Amino acid sequence: MFVQTRRFATALVAAAAVGFPATALGADPASPRVIRIDPSTGAQTVLAAGAPWGRLTAVAVAPSGTVYVADDRPNASGIYSLTAPGFAITPFATTVPTENPVDLAATDTTVYSLDGQAGVVSIDAAAPFAQKILSPFQPVDEGGPLNPYSFTLSGATLYGVSPSDCLGEDSAGESSYAGVVAIDTATGDRTFPSDLGCNDPGPVAATQDGNLLIAFPAGDRYPATIVRITPAGGASATIAKGGLLRDPVDLAVTPSGDVIVADLTSGVLRISRGKQSVVAAGGNLNGVNGVAADAAGAIYAIAPGGPAAVLNVSAPGRERFSKSGVAVTASCRPRCTLGYSMRYSFSERKGSLARVGAKRSVRLKFPAQIQRSVAKRLRTYKTAAVTVTMRPEDGRGKALGQPITMTVTLTR
């Protein structure tokens, strides 16, 4: 998924619509789907589902009401648009530099994609849908901020959150703190206005007054939390903690200022003046992993589709070598065992297992032979690429879902 930056020429895409009727609670629950939720009643209406999608990863709604979704189906990923009244599935950006879209933001003129291969890509909303790499993934200096893995749009700035890499004494270098990454939509320039310490931030959303809402997953000793900060940092305020908030994976803000949460355990939640309530849950929302709100307050959600367990994994394209293993952020719905294998050069070995549910940082330990081989290479060369294949399992080695393969470049 996340590999070192590559540059591509601007691509032009011709759009063609694929018809799919909107039905209430009418989709195969194993298929990827887009659901519109009545904010008053919680009624679910499936707008589109199934082919050509493989696994939906993000949703955004432009002010005009056009819905955009990202799909990361292996070897055929892309971004699609859906427009009322028919909400036909229309290919929008399905060629490079779009390769692995993991988050979206949209205006009526431009769609922004956080892409696991290219970095931040801007796409013209009008035909011929010209794409350009606005801000490629950045090389990470020792102890410097890592690349973001989620973002939101506020005015002319994209604000992302980057993970921490607080590795401890066995790290090959200094640790990186989690932080806010500001990306100018005109120039692509990045600044780093605030750090978030050795935390594990999740999704981010912008409020109408320019503040940022950041969700933090539950840990062994603390509940899931959503905090409000200014982009420049400073004191934070907690707007939700525990209760119905269990596994937050995406955030949106309605025109009235309510916070909408996609929660893997609780469904779609509303937080209004500190009070939590369930907007909708179950049915087509099983496994919900993205939400957006339009200008009228209607809620749009996505569920990725797939078999009995859905594993989501992200990692920076480059990270410093550590004896404690490769750092990834993983979630599994429902809770599953993460089985994995590592391949380096001509050697492939199975690693140990980790139990995952809500999004959290996981260390994939190196099998001994691969650790020795990587360490030996890094004594001579600056980088070593390791391929990791992961899949959700039942704890006894039986696969519960589709595998995910990514290449991580390790540095000295």
Side-chain angles (χ1 to χ4, degrees):
M1 288 172 64
F2 282 51
V3 298
Q4 55 189 337
T5 302
R6 288 181 281 174
R7 295 180 180 271
F8 301 94
T10 299
L12 303 181
V13 183
V18 180
F20 188 95
T23 57
L25 297 174
D28 174 359
S31 66
R33 52 208 179 275
V34 178
I35 308 104
R36 183 172 57 199
I37 304 170
D38 186 302
S40 299
T41 66
Q44 305 173 29
T45 301
V46 176
L47 301 180
W53 297 330
R55 192 175 70 109
L56 297 180
T57 58
V59 59
V61 183
S64 63
T66 300
V67 179
Y68 296 93
V69 295
D71 176 59
D72 72 350
R73 183 161 59 103
N75 302 315
S77 60
I79 301 169
Y80 297 80
S81 65
L82 299 91
T83 305
F87 294 99
I89 300 173
T90 304
F92 176 70
T94 57
T95 60
V96 294
T98 294
E99 288 192 86
N100 176 215
V102 295
D103 209 352
L104 297 173
T107 70
D108 285 338
T109 59
T110 308
V111 176
Y112 300 97
S113 168
L114 182 60
D115 192 279
Q117 302 279 359
V120 177
V121 178
S122 66
I123 310 160
D124 292 344
F129 314 120
Q131 303 183 59
K132 70 176 181 180
I133 298 177
L134 175 66
S135 181
F137 271 110
Q138 304 294 306
V140 178
D141 295 328
E142 187 170 303
L146 304 178
N147 287 287
Y149 54 34
S150 65
F151 70 175
T152 187
L153 180 65
S154 180
T157 304
L158 290 162
Y159 290 102
V161 289
S162 60
S164 67
D165 189 20
C166 299
L167 303 180
E169 296 180 355
D170 64 349
S171 171
E174 296 180 10
S175 296
S176 296
Y177 291 129
V180 175
V181 182
I183 302 171
D184 189 305
T185 57
T187 65
D189 292 341
R190 297 189 182 197
T191 56
F192 305 92
S194 60
D195 73 65
L196 301 171
C198 287
N199 290 304
D200 185 20
V204 59
T207 63
Q208 286 88 344
D209 59 4
N211 288 323
L212 300 179
L213 304 174
I214 302 175
F216 292 85
D220 293 336
R221 299 181 180 179
Y222 51 87
T225 305
I226 299 175
V227 301
R228 181 177 61 244
I229 66 169
T230 63
S236 64
T238 298
I239 69 163
K241 186 176 184 179
L244 295 169
L245 190 68
R246 303 287 297 281
D247 301 318
V249 290
D250 200 14
L251 303 176
V253 179
T254 69
S256 65
D258 289 352
V259 181
I260 306 300
V261 184
D263 189 286
L264 285 173
T265 298
S266 300
V268 175
L269 307 178
R270 181 190 302 275
I271 300 171
S272 181
R273 299 184 181 183
K275 182 180 179 181
Q276 302 178 27
S277 60
V278 176
V279 179
N284 283 291
L285 291 173
N286 287 333
V288 60
N289 66 331
V291 286
D294 67 15
I299 300 168
Y300 296 81
I302 56 170
V310 176
L311 177 67
N312 289 281
V313 182
S314 62
R318 299 169 71 91
E319 61 180 78
R320 289 183 302 280
F321 172 67
S322 168
K323 295 178 182 177
S324 58
V326 175
V328 302
T329 299
S331 66
C332 193
R333 175 68 178 175
R335 184 178 293 272
C336 70
T337 295
L338 189 159
Y340 68 93
S341 62
M342 287 190 185
R343 178 164 51 85
Y344 173 72
S345 186
F346 297 103
S347 175
E348 182 165 4
R349 294 289 187 274
K350 188 173 180 60
S352 57
L353 304 177
R355 189 75 172 165
V356 296
K359 182 186 287 187
R360 68 183 183 93
S361 294
V362 177
R363 282 279 171 184
L364 304 181
K365 295 182 179 180
F366 291 107
Q369 180 177 336
I370 290 181
Q371 179 177 316
R372 290 193 297 270
S373 298
V374 170
K376 180 178 180 180
R377 176 181 171 83
L378 291 177
R379 286 195 289 268
T380 305
Y381 300 97
K382 293 182 178 180
T383 63
V386 174
T387 300
V388 185
T389 298
M390 296 150 285
R391 69 177 190 175
E393 297 180 354
D394 64 357
R396 297 182 295 274
K398 179 182 178 181
L400 298 177
Q402 294 299 312
I404 296 174
T405 298
M406 65 175 65
T407 299
V408 177
T409 299
L410 303 172
T411 64
R412 287 187 290 190

